């Protein structure tokens, strides 16, 4: 009897697993296509399509309503941008403050290249300075040593 109870309990545990992230039957797939391009406001690194937070569920419901009203995906995304700013988009447009987000890798590479160029120039100048300080007698002795070998 205990085994039957244990098997029943384990069977219920299997049924309690979360459903895979597939669209529920009442939301068309286009809702999730739009929600994948929007961030979940409370979850780190999850889109509104992936998140199970209440606000993400509400966002998907709003998207479904607006699609039913005939709004285009661009209009729906603009609706969320007006409420949350460009941050809500996974690919924010390159303008204003977000322009720095797009340009910062390029600026970083330019600064790194300039730093490496300056470092190489200093090392080269130090090596030339050191070579000029070697006396002629020492150079002649080293050349003679090399000729013997």
């Amino acid at each position: 009897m205990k085994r039957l109870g244990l098997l029943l309990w384990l069977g219920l545990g299997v049924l309690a697993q979360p459903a895979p992230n597939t669209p529920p039957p009442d939301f068309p797939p286009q809702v999730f296509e739009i929600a994948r391009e929007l961030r979940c406001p409370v979850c780190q690194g999850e889109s509104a399509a992936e998140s199970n937070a209440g606000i993400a569920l509400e966002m998907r419901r709003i998207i479904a309503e607006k699609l039913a009203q005939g709004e285009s995906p661009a209009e729906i995304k603009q609706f969320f941008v007006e409420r949350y700013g460009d941050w809500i988009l996974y690919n924010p447009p390159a303008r204003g403050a977000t322009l720095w987000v797009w340009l910062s890798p390029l600026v970083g590479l330019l600064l790194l290249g300039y730093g490496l160029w300056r470092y190489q120039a200093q090392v080269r100048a130090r090596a030339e300075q050191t070579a000029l300080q070697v006396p002629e007698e020492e150079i002649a002795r080293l050349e003679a040593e090399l000729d013997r070998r």
Side-chain angles (χ1 to χ4, degrees):
M1 188 66 177
K2 285 184 177 181
R3 288 184 182 182
L4 181 62
L6 181 63
L7 286 175
L8 194 63
W9 184 76
L10 288 173
L12 289 176
V14 170
L15 293 176
Q17 296 297 316
N21 197 7
T22 56
D26 55 339
F27 285 154
Q30 191 179 11
V31 170
F32 283 83
E33 289 174 17
I34 295 170
R36 273 187 212 103
E37 297 176 21
L38 301 172
R39 292 180 196 275
C40 174
V42 295
C43 301
Q44 291 284 327
E46 283 189 293
S47 71
E50 299 166 337
S51 173
N52 288 325
I55 194 164
L57 296 173
E58 183 65 16
M59 288 172 72
R60 291 193 297 255
R61 189 192 59 76
I62 290 171
I63 292 169
E65 279 182 12
K66 292 197 171 288
L67 282 173
Q69 293 170 358
E71 291 189 28
S72 70
E75 290 172 330
I76 295 170
K77 285 187 247 176
Q78 186 59 36
F79 170 81
F80 286 105
V81 167
E82 289 170 2
R83 272 136 191 90
Y84 295 101
D86 287 333
W87 172 87
I88 199 77
L89 298 173
Y90 261 112
N91 290 319
R95 68 173 184 242
T98 59
L99 186 61
W100 283 107
V101 174
W102 289 97
L103 292 179
S104 61
L106 180 63
V107 171
L109 283 174
L110 289 174
L111 288 174
L112 179 67
Y114 178 74
L116 286 173
W117 177 74
R118 291 287 304 159
Y119 176 74
Q120 286 290 332
Q122 287 176 351
V123 167
R124 195 173 305 123
R126 242 184 277 145
E128 288 175 4
Q129 190 76 6
T130 303
L132 291 176
Q133 293 175 351
V134 175
E136 291 292 326
E137 301 156 353
E138 186 71 23
I139 293 173
R141 187 185 67 77
L142 288 172
E143 286 177 350
E145 183 95 16
L146 289 173
D147 288 341
R148 272 192 259 155
R149 294 184 180 203

